[in-house]
Amino acid sequence: MRTEVGIIGAGPAGLLLARLLHRAGVSCVVLESRDRAYTEQRQRAGMLEQGTVDVLRAAGAGERLNREALEHDGIELRFDRRSHRLDFPALTGGRSVWIYAQTEIVKDLIGLQLKDGPPLVFGAEAVAVTGLDGRLPQVHYRDSAGEHTLTCDYIAGCDGHHGITGSALPASVARTFERTYPYAWLGVLADAPPSCEVLVYAHSPRGFALHSMRSPTVSRLYLQVPADTDVSAWPDDRIWDELDARFAVDGDWSLTRGPITSKSVLPMRSSVTEPMRHGRLLLAGDAAHIVPPTGAKGLNLAVADVVVLAEALADWKDSGSTALLDAYSDTCLRRVWRAEHFSHFMTTTLHTDPGQSPFDSRLQLAQLDRVTTSRHAAAELADNYAGLPISRQGPDH
């Protein structure tokens, strides 16, 4: 096959990029190693910034989102048995956040693409990318019919942290900055109505906990656990009892329990690869950067990347200029590092390190007290959480 942009990976980044390019008149082909059923069931993030919602709506993927997504006007911080609500619209000039599972975004985008979009090939495993320094790079892939080659002008690596495109950057030009954390999240889905109106972030001497939701009848909950945790060590009753203890506040609030339908352990790490471009290969989303989930930035960063990339590729198609493509990595990395900083702040402020000293615990409480008593500190958190503006010029504040 021959196309202008070869996209590797049919997660939110690859599918949204394909949608934006299609609407801009840039031809593309999406290659996904898994089948459609698996692709639509991958559980990932569910919190959307206002800018992400705006992009999805503008791309024609807002119909079901508008009907089913849960709009939230803030978050709740719990610590020292006290509860504090941060009002995002009041602190950010009107911005909100939305709960809409990544699985549903993927379903919406796949449906649009199969209906009237560019080719989407499932079961196509990319095994190599070549010619990145030439005029016509190639993606070599295999499927049930054998081995094939996709020739294109540019390759977009949207295949995640474990994909082939991130490792395709030569060691002589790429550098990866990483941090691992000594804890993980035990995440569960429960058939239980949410016990709160907004996401609850709880700091506790026992460890961090997060209460989120997927729908009015399904709760998504997380517990901080050691990095080497075995899920089998956490029966349902133990999970609910620990959640009760970490969310505890003075008052009559109670946690609604229900059948737990899935459990998984999520590692906590930060990673950024620089630059996000080499020759005709451009990385987007998890292929270029990973954030700990505390700041809810992973999916939103991927959307910001592909908005910048789609604009740059459309400008190249229309004008022949590569100026925006040349600026792609620097533009995205300004936003990426801001999100990395915010995610690190949220993670280290709310989690308890193994062997943490009483002094460090008091520093965390002092920081949380500052956020909940100072409008300036609260506005800084809200501004980052609700999302900085998506622009090809990068954040301007």
Side-chain angles (χ1 to χ4, degrees), residues 12 27 43 65 90 112 123 126 158 181 188 201 212 246 249-250 267 283 303 319 364 384:
S27 67
Q43 290 287 341
L65 184 155
L112 288 171
C158 304
Y181 298 86
V188 303
Y201 287 77
S212 182
R246 297 189 192 186
V249 291
D250 294 331
L283 305 181
V303 168
S319 69
Q364 289 177 316
N384 281 275

Side-chain angles (χ1 to χ4, degrees), residues 80-271:
D80 202 22
R81 299 188 64 87
R82 294 177 289 153
S83 175
H84 306 267
R85 177 79 168 262
L86 299 185
D87 184 337
F88 284 178
L91 292 166
T92 65
R95 282 179 288 152
S96 300
V97 294
W98 303 72
I99 299 298
Y100 191 62
Q102 175 174 314
T103 52
E104 306 314 300
I105 295 173
V106 168
K107 291 174 186 176
D108 294 343
L109 291 170
I110 286 177
L112 288 171
Q113 183 144 346
L114 294 180
K115 179 181 178 181
D116 65 358
L120 168 56
V121 186
F122 291 105
E125 180 187 6
V127 295
V129 291
T130 59
L132 301 181
D133 293 319
R135 294 186 58 189
L136 294 176
Q138 295 181 323
V139 182
H140 305 276
Y141 68 97
R142 65 168 68 102
D143 59 17
S144 59
E147 298 189 355
H148 312 275
T149 298
L150 173 65
T151 301
C152 40
D153 294 284
Y154 288 95
I155 297 173
C158 304
D159 50 345
H161 177 67
H162 297 292
I164 67 163
T165 57
S167 59
L169 273 67
S172 59
V173 301
R175 183 179 180 186
T176 298
F177 301 86
E178 294 183 285
R179 172 161 186 175
T180 58
Y181 298 86
Y183 36 73
W185 278 7
L186 172 62
V188 303
L189 278 173
D191 287 336
S195 307
C196 49
E197 296 179 352
V198 297
L199 273 66
V200 177
Y201 287 77
H203 172 278
S204 160
R206 304 172 68 98
F208 168 77
L210 170 62
H211 190 317
S212 182
M213 63 282 293
R214 285 294 178 263
S215 75
T217 60
V218 177
S219 293
R220 180 68 161 156
L221 304 118
Y222 300 93
L223 284 169
Q224 175 189 341
V225 294
D228 58 355
T229 291
D230 184 345
V231 171
S232 64
W234 285 86
D236 292 6
D237 286 345
R238 183 187 180 192
I239 291 173
W240 287 117
D241 290 346
E242 191 63 28
L243 287 167
D244 266 327
R246 297 189 192 186
F247 285 126
V249 291
D250 294 331
D252 58 1
W253 184 87
S254 62
L255 181 65
T256 303
R257 299 190 178 199
I260 292 177
T261 58
S262 73
K263 305 176 187 178
S264 60
V265 175
L266 311 176
M268 304 281 284
R269 60 190 301 268
S270 302
S271 175

